[in-house]
Each structure stands twice: as structure tokens, then as C-alpha cells.
Amino acid sequence: MRILQVMRAPVGGLFRHVADLTCGLAAKGHEVGLVVDTLASDGQTEARLAELEQHAKFGIHRLAMPRLFGVADLTTTLAVRRLAGRIGADIIHGHGAKGGFYARLARFAGARGSVFYTPHGGVLHFSAQSRSGRLFHALERQLMRQTSAILFESNFAETTYARLIGAPRCPTRVIHNGLRPDEFELVSAAPDAADFVFVGELRLLKGIIPLVEALATIRRTDGSPATLVMAGDGPDRSALEQTIAGLGVGDRVVLAGAQPARKMFARGRVVIVPSLAESLPYVVLEAAAAGLPVIATRVGGVPEIFGPDSKRLVAPGEASALTSAMQAALDDPTEAAEAALRLRERVLEEFAVGPMVDAIEAVYRSTMHTSR
């Protein structure tokens, strides 16, 4: 098959999913091309894209994808349509709100082939009461007829989509994200590791403010203050820095910038994922596979990852709940390690990249067959 993947996001869970899917499809003999954003990029994104070039036979194409709607949306849609026609794409797969928007509008504008859409949270994070939410949700309803199938990475995403937008009028399938075999190699904390590590975008949606508020009162068993290293960058870094300064915890928090997750896992003893909203976050899977204790909030598809241990998840946005969980991890490291082992075994059994790629490939083929 000739497959065109379309995404807006810089390095993150969505990017990771598309990268793994691209490599997996290429290994199966399919020809893949990528469309990515010129407006949301950083050094880490460019490095990862360079690694993907060898797997993208049809190349990596950079187009302007504004976060909100703008004139560039029209020109980008037409460019995606032209590119799909030039490579003879059998499949156009849009990822995230904007990627899905371009993929399906390209079909509306005359692109041939089957069009797939994976929300990855995206439009599901917009409130139905907000102006942007109403606009995006209305567009989703209109674009449904241009969609061959919607692939959800969690049961939560499928349920939320139906609640906000309506029951899909096209085929749907839940296919969980998966990890590579090498990611199940254990990671050991460095001798100077912080007590806690956060890896993700520096956005309010990721719960970064409640996290540093919780840290302010946490103490180790010897009475010394707990420490935190935060890897990532994003639009709310300045707000985070102001909060850190206001709480007087600047000597206990290290902002490490955008860094690979596994590299950062060695710099902390417990991984914290305090998000206010998620779909099925890779960082939880990655940390669990690496054998580290994980403290996460009860949002999105995170309970699907934790399974029987989902009772350990904490309420989002509540610094006090996060404080209790973080303090418990320091007070009883043996229990935290036992929980980490159970979670690692579950992820090993349920979240592997091979079955993920196989399942998506099968949906591509079945829809192509149906369309004929």
C-alpha cells in the first residue's frame, strides 16, 4: 500500500505513535510518506524526523499547520491533496485534530483513496461549551462522511468521541498504542537521581502547576525536602517558572528542557504523570516498561493501562491528592516497587508495537477491500 500519514504535533505521544507506525508499515513493505508542521517544531522533533527519513519512501513534507484556523489551512489542504495524488496514495491517515482535518478535507477536495482518522485526544479535549469546542465538534460531524474509519487508541477516546460529537457513522476500532521490545529493558536510577521525574510538554493541561504545588510540602524519610526534575518544553514554561519561584522551590526543581524519555527516567526514582486530560499517554507505558514506579492521574485511558491497579490513580488537578501519593511512594519504596513490577508485566502482555501495527494494517486493508 501507498500510505500518507498527516500530523501536526511536535515530539510527543502522537508523534511517537506515527513514528512507530511508519517504521512498522515500512518494514512490512508498504511505501509511506509523512506530512508534518513547519510551525510547531524544535530540535528534538527535527532529530526524530531525520531518523524517520529512511523509512519514509515518499519523503517528509513540511507544511504550515496553525493551531487554530487560518488561511494556511486552505493552502495546506490543497497541498495534501496534490501530494496524495502525486504519490498515488491508497491510504491517507490523519492524526490529531488538525491532521484529521487536513486528511479528510483533502478527500473532500478530490483526493482518492481511503481516509482514516485517529483523534489522539485532540478534539476530545475541547469543551462542548467553548466556542472553539463547538466549532471543532461541528466540523467533526461534517467530516464524518469523508472518513473511511476512525481508529481510537483507547476505549475512553471512543466513548468520549461519541458523547461529544455523536455516534460515528463510519467503522471504528480501538487499537492500543504499543511499545518496542527494547523499551522493556529496565532502567536504573542514577546515583544522583531526583526523587521524582516528569517528562512531557510544559502545558497547564499536563498538570505541571499542581505537581510543583504538591512537591512543596513533601519530605523524604530523613526529613529533607523532596526533589523533582522536569523534562520538556512548551507554551506554559513561564507560568511554571513563576509558580516555582513563588513557592520557593527553585533549588528543588530542575527544568531540563526537551529530552528523550528513557534518558530522563534514569534521573528520577518515581515517574509522575499529573495530567488533567489525556488519551492513552505513551509516557505511562514507557515508564512502566522501564520498571519504574508510576504515579498518574485518573484521566483518559490511563485506567486501561493500570487495569486492576487503577485504584492507585489520583484525582486530576488536586495537589493534595498528588501530595499523598508522592509522599506514600517515598515512605514505602518497597510497596512502590512491587506495584511497578505488576504494571510492567501488564504492559508487556497488553501493549506491544507489533500487534498495534498489524491491527492498523488489517483495518487499512479491510476498508480498501470494502471500498472496491
Side-chain angles (χ1 to χ4, degrees):
M1 290 180 283
R2 297 184 172 198
I3 303 164
L4 186 63
Q5 306 280 346
V6 185
M7 64 173 171
R8 177 187 179 277
V11 165
L14 189 160
F15 186 106
R16 161 66 195 273
H17 174 86
V18 176
D20 284 346
L21 182 57
T22 297
C23 294
L25 290 169
K28 286 173 168 283
H30 303 297
E31 300 170 326
V32 186
L34 295 173
V35 176
V36 301
D37 185 24
T38 59
L39 304 177
S41 185
D42 55 29
Q44 191 177 0
T45 302
E46 291 303 317
R48 290 296 306 278
L49 287 174
E51 294 173 2
L52 278 177
E53 285 181 355
Q54 62 182 310
H55 304 284
K57 180 174 181 178
F58 292 129
I60 298 174
H61 306 267
R62 293 166 171 80
L63 301 172
M65 301 182 183
R67 190 174 188 87
L68 298 178
F69 291 106
V71 176
D73 287 320
L74 176 59
T75 57
T76 294
T77 295
L78 295 176
V80 171
R81 184 200 68 182
R82 289 192 297 270
L83 175 60
R86 189 163 68 247
I87 69 174
D90 301 302
I91 302 292
I92 306 174
H93 191 162
H95 298 265
K98 271 307 185 75
F101 174 76
Y102 296 126
R104 292 176 292 174
L105 274 187
R107 185 182 195 182
F108 179 79
R112 297 182 178 181
S114 299
V115 174
F116 295 81
Y117 170 47
T118 303
H120 295 282
V123 69
L124 307 182
H125 292 162
F126 286 90
S127 168
Q129 281 69 51
S130 70
R131 179 179 300 177
S132 295
R134 289 194 297 271
L135 177 59
F136 272 110
H137 295 167
L139 280 171
E140 283 291 330
R141 297 183 190 102
Q142 293 301 314
L143 291 171
M144 192 84 70
R145 67 191 64 182
Q146 305 298 332
T147 311
S148 301
I150 303 177
L151 306 181
F152 296 101
E153 71 275 29
S154 66
N155 293 303
F156 163 82
E158 184 177 44
T159 301
T160 303
Y161 188 95
R163 176 172 56 82
L164 292 176
I165 289 114
R169 299 189 299 276
C170 62
T172 65
R173 175 83 183 272
V174 175
I175 301 173
H176 286 140
N177 295 331
L179 300 182
R180 300 182 302 271
D182 62 284
E183 293 180 282
F184 288 92
E185 296 177 6
L186 297 175
V187 171
S188 299
D192 61 346
D195 297 298
F196 304 100
V197 57
F198 165 92
V199 181
E201 282 189 276
L202 300 187
R203 298 172 56 202
L204 297 181
L205 190 69
K206 296 298 183 180
I208 55 177
I209 302 303
L211 172 56
V212 293
E213 290 174 343
L215 181 77
T217 60
I218 297 173
R219 294 290 184 273
R220 300 169 180 149
T221 54
D222 63 3
S224 60
T227 56
L228 167 70
V229 59
M230 302 182 72
D233 211 342
D236 297 317
R237 179 177 180 129
S238 61
L240 173 64
E241 291 173 334
Q242 291 173 16
T243 302
I244 290 171
L247 292 170
V249 294
D251 60 335
R252 298 165 54 189
V253 180
V254 174
L255 300 182
Q259 300 283 345
R262 281 185 67 85
K263 174 183 176 181
M264 293 307 303
F265 289 158
R267 295 186 58 181
R269 302 182 189 282
V270 178
V271 177
I272 307 293
V273 187
S275 302
L276 308 184
E278 286 286 358
S279 184
L280 194 80
Y282 267 104
V283 68
V284 174
L285 296 173
E286 292 168 335
L292 296 174
V294 182
I295 296 173
T297 46
R298 184 181 295 277
V299 294
V302 175
E304 296 171 46
I305 300 174
F306 274 69
D309 266 357
S310 61
K311 61 183 180 296
R312 300 176 60 87
L313 299 172
V314 302
E318 296 184 12
S320 59
L322 202 56
T323 297
S324 297
M326 294 167 71
Q327 188 66 62
L330 293 186
D331 292 344
D332 193 347
T334 300
E335 198 279 334
E338 291 173 351
L341 178 60
R342 292 195 301 272
L343 184 59
R344 182 173 183 271
E345 291 175 346
R346 174 173 171 77
V347 171
L348 181 61
E349 293 176 359
E350 302 289 339
F351 299 88
V353 71
M356 179 194 84
V357 175
D358 290 345
I360 293 174
E361 179 193 39
V363 176
Y364 286 170
R365 289 194 183 282
S366 66
T367 308
M368 288 175 63
H369 177 74
T370 300
S371 67
R372 291 174 184 150

